[in-house]
């Protein structure tokens, strides 16, 4: 993933490691320490009232601290796995220290929030309780590929999953007999997926408390403190027992830069964009690259809403954190220019970019890291469509 002399990429990788290193300290501070300060600022009579059952507020904060400690075990496991990565050789580490940058302190508040969000995503991708979410979004992909497989019964179809996140769809496609390749730009997610796929020794080895960081909209304290076991399967064991499994790989790169190249032209039978197209500042560039790396007659299978990720950003700053170097590389997704389309407009654009729409389904109930017991219910009404490269 890292190339010698690539200072910017080295720092991003080390910042991702740092975000997991700092998770425990920051989570305890933000979630319980500040609340204890606020609690002890109350009038004494209020403190006494809330300290007794059924509130027992201080006991609750103690339980939350214990839950954070369990989450921190996952963060530590991801960190340990990442430190053993060939991408973190002694030369990289010594170079960072020589510049006065101990990697443990490199993570910004944005990096740490990204790590926390990524660990919550383990609920969606790698817990039994997250299966309904996966089913809603992955089923259209498998249905479309099953139809395509029937057209080419002897072929081993090659499928690309850009924005692969924690790798569950890539893994499931591989187990289903497809040669699957995932692409992800976030080192935070790559470190996490690498740990789950390559280093977890057994199923349900970790306890994750996905809702612990927020005290809002809980009907009961038991729901606030509810945990799940991850991963729901042992990936290596499942893959080893799959008779017709395909090949699986992950690439760590900017989707536009890697797959827009001449070397990738016509490489894939299908591309599955699940909750991905709306991450584009300029979706035309995404579609150009998709068209480039699809074989003639290949399929683009899309599932998701249109939550345009860079909406509201000032012109030219998408892809840049406010605390990042202003001289950062502005190629790939960081290219200037952005716009947002409606779903109907996006469909027209897809057709004008050299595809024909074969199937389209709207109003798919698609929750995302969804607490079904919460008093706040946000669920996407996603769309799914299948387009064939002309």
């Amino acid at each position: 993933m890292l190339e010698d002399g690539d200072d910017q990429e080295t720092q991003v990788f080390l910042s991702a490691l740092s975000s997991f290193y700092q998770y425990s300290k920051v989570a305890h501070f933000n979630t319980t320490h500040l609340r204890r300060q606020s609690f002890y600022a109350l009038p004494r009579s209020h403190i006494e009232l809330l300290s007794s059952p059924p509130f027992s507020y201080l006991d609750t904060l103690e339980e939350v601290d214990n839950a954070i400690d369990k989450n921190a075990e996952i963060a530590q496991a991801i960190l340990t796995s990442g430190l053993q990565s060939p991408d973190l050789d002694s030369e990289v580490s010594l170079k960072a220290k020589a510049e006065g940058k101990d990697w443990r302190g490199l993570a910004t508040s944005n990096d740490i929030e990204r790590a926390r969000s990524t660990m919550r995503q383990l609920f969606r991708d790698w817990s039994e309780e997250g299966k309904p979410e996966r089913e809603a979004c992955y089923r259209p992909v498998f249905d479309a590929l099953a139809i395509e497989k029937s057209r080419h019964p002897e072929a081993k179809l090659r499928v690309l999953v850009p924005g692969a996140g924690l790798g569950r769809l890539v893994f499931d496609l591989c187990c289903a007999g497809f040669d699957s390749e995932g692409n992800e730009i976030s080192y935070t997610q790559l470190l996490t997926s690498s740990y789950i796929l390559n280093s977890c020794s057994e199923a349900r080895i970790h306890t994750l408390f996905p809702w612990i960081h927020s005290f809002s909209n809980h009907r009961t304290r038991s729901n606030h403190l509810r945990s799940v076991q991850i991963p729901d399967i042992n990936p290596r064991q499942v893959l080893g027992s799959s008779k017709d499994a395909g090949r699986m790989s992950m690439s760590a790169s900017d989707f536009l830069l890697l797959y827009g190249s001449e070397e990738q032209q016509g490489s894939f039978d299908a591309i599955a964009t699940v909750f991905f197209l709306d991450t584009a500042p300029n979706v035309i560039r995404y579609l150009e690259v998709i068209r480039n790396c699809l074989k003639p007659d290949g399929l683009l299978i899309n599932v998701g809403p249109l939550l345009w990720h860079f909406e509201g950003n000032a012109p030219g700053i998408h892809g840049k954190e406010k605390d990042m170097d202003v001289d950062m590389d502005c190629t790939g997704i960081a290219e200037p220019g952005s716009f947002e389309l409606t779903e109907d407009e996006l469909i027209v654009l897809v057709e004008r970019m050299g595809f024909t729409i074969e199937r389209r389904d709207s109003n798919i109930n698609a929750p995302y890291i969804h607490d079904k017991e919460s008093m706040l219910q946000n669920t996407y009404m996603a769309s799914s469509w299948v387009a064939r490269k002309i």
Side-chain angles (χ1 to χ4, degrees):
M1 290 188 286
L2 298 177
E3 298 177 3
D4 292 339
D6 193 342
D7 296 342
Q8 182 178 308
E9 193 170 4
T10 298
Q11 174 144 336
V12 172
F13 181 74
L14 292 173
S15 295
L17 288 175
S18 174
S19 69
F20 290 110
Y21 177 81
Q22 295 190 47
Y23 165 79
S24 178
K25 178 180 177 180
V26 173
H28 280 301
F29 180 82
N30 289 337
T31 312
T32 57
H33 177 73
L34 294 179
R35 281 186 169 85
R36 283 190 178 93
Q37 288 186 329
S38 297
F39 180 76
Y40 285 120
L42 294 170
R44 183 173 182 81
S45 61
H46 298 181
I47 292 175
E48 292 175 352
L49 173 63
L50 293 174
S51 295
S52 61
F55 313 106
S56 302
Y57 193 72
L58 290 174
D59 291 341
T60 293
L61 295 182
E62 184 69 24
E63 290 186 86
V64 170
D65 274 329
N66 293 336
I68 290 172
D69 287 339
K70 297 301 290 185
N71 284 0
E73 292 178 10
I74 304 173
Q76 180 61 46
I78 296 168
L79 172 62
T80 300
S81 174
L83 287 170
Q84 296 169 351
S85 166
D87 297 309
L88 189 68
D89 57 24
S90 57
E91 182 180 347
V92 169
S93 183
L94 288 172
K95 181 177 180 181
K97 291 179 180 178
E99 295 173 349
K101 296 178 181 178
D102 184 342
W103 63 268
R104 291 171 293 185
L106 281 178
T108 66
S109 58
N110 286 325
D111 294 323
I112 297 169
E113 174 57 33
R114 198 172 292 119
R116 189 176 80 167
S117 175
T118 296
M119 288 209 299
R120 287 182 68 237
Q121 194 171 331
L122 286 167
F123 166 84
R124 174 180 172 85
D125 279 11
W126 292 102
S127 77
E128 180 65 28
E129 290 81 355
K131 187 174 181 179
E133 292 192 20
R134 299 194 297 272
E135 180 70 16
C137 297
Y138 298 170
R139 178 49 49 196
V141 174
F142 282 96
D143 289 346
L145 288 174
I147 295 172
E148 192 68 3
K149 180 65 176 176
S150 68
R151 298 177 71 235
H152 309 280
E154 303 302 321
K156 179 76 77 171
L157 299 182
R158 191 176 183 212
V159 184
L160 173 65
V161 181
L166 301 189
R168 185 60 185 259
L169 178 57
V170 180
F171 175 82
D172 288 348
L173 286 169
C174 175
C175 291
F178 300 98
D179 288 341
S180 59
E181 179 169 323
N183 167 248
E184 179 55 55
I185 195 172
S186 166
Y187 280 124
T188 310
Q189 300 216 353
L190 286 162
L191 286 166
T192 306
S193 64
S194 176
Y195 169 67
I196 294 293
L197 291 169
N198 300 315
S199 300
C200 269
S201 57
E202 58 186 270
R204 305 171 70 84
I205 194 172
H206 291 296
T207 300
L208 172 71
F209 291 82
W211 323 122
I212 204 66
H213 300 103
S214 172
F215 278 61
S216 297
N217 290 309
H218 296 294
R219 294 189 183 278
T220 66
R221 192 61 65 194
S222 61
N223 182 66
H224 181 203
L225 297 166
R226 183 159 51 96
S227 65
V228 298
Q229 304 298 306
I230 62 160
D232 58 317
I233 58 172
N234 182 332
R236 287 184 292 179
Q237 184 180 62
V238 171
L239 191 58
S241 62
S242 299
K243 296 180 180 180
D244 298 320
R247 292 173 296 176
M248 180 175 63
S249 61
M250 289 283 287
S251 67
S253 64
D254 185 309
F255 171 69
L256 298 181
L257 297 180
L258 177 59
Y259 296 97
S261 66
E262 184 176 348
E263 291 79 6
Q264 293 286 348
Q265 188 172 5
S267 296
F268 297 94
D269 299 284
I271 296 178
T273 53
V274 178
F275 280 67
F276 177 72
L277 289 184
D278 56 4
T279 67
N282 178 357
V283 73
I284 294 175
R285 290 286 288 117
Y286 272 24
L287 292 171
E288 288 174 339
V289 171
I290 289 169
R291 185 177 59 193
N292 176 70
C293 60
L294 267 181
K295 294 179 181 179
D297 205 39
L299 287 187
L300 167 57
I301 309 165
N302 181 70
V303 183
L306 288 178
L307 178 64
W308 297 106
H309 282 40
F310 297 104
E311 181 177 4
N313 281 19
I317 69 165
H318 54 263
K320 306 182 183 72
E321 305 284 8
K322 63 182 179 181
D323 47 7
M324 288 181 70
D325 187 347
V326 294
D327 294 327
M328 69 171 286
D329 184 17
C330 290
T331 57
I333 195 173
E335 292 175 358
S338 63
F339 60 93
E340 301 84 29
L341 298 179
T342 67
E343 183 186 2
D344 284 349
E345 290 169 341
L346 179 60
I347 292 296
V348 172
L349 178 63
V350 169
E351 293 175 328
R352 293 190 180 181
M353 294 290 293
F355 295 85
T356 180
I357 303 295
E358 293 191 342
R359 292 184 298 283
R360 183 180 177 187
D361 185 15
S362 298
N363 297 323
I364 297 173
N365 191 304
Y368 199 95
I369 314 181
H370 177 70
D371 178 6
K372 64 181 181 180
E373 302 298 331
S374 173
M375 297 172 71
L376 176 64
Q377 298 291 314
N378 289 324
T379 300
Y380 293 108
M381 300 307 295
S383 67
S384 172
W385 40 266
V386 178
R388 190 175 297 277
K389 178 180 174 179
I390 300 174

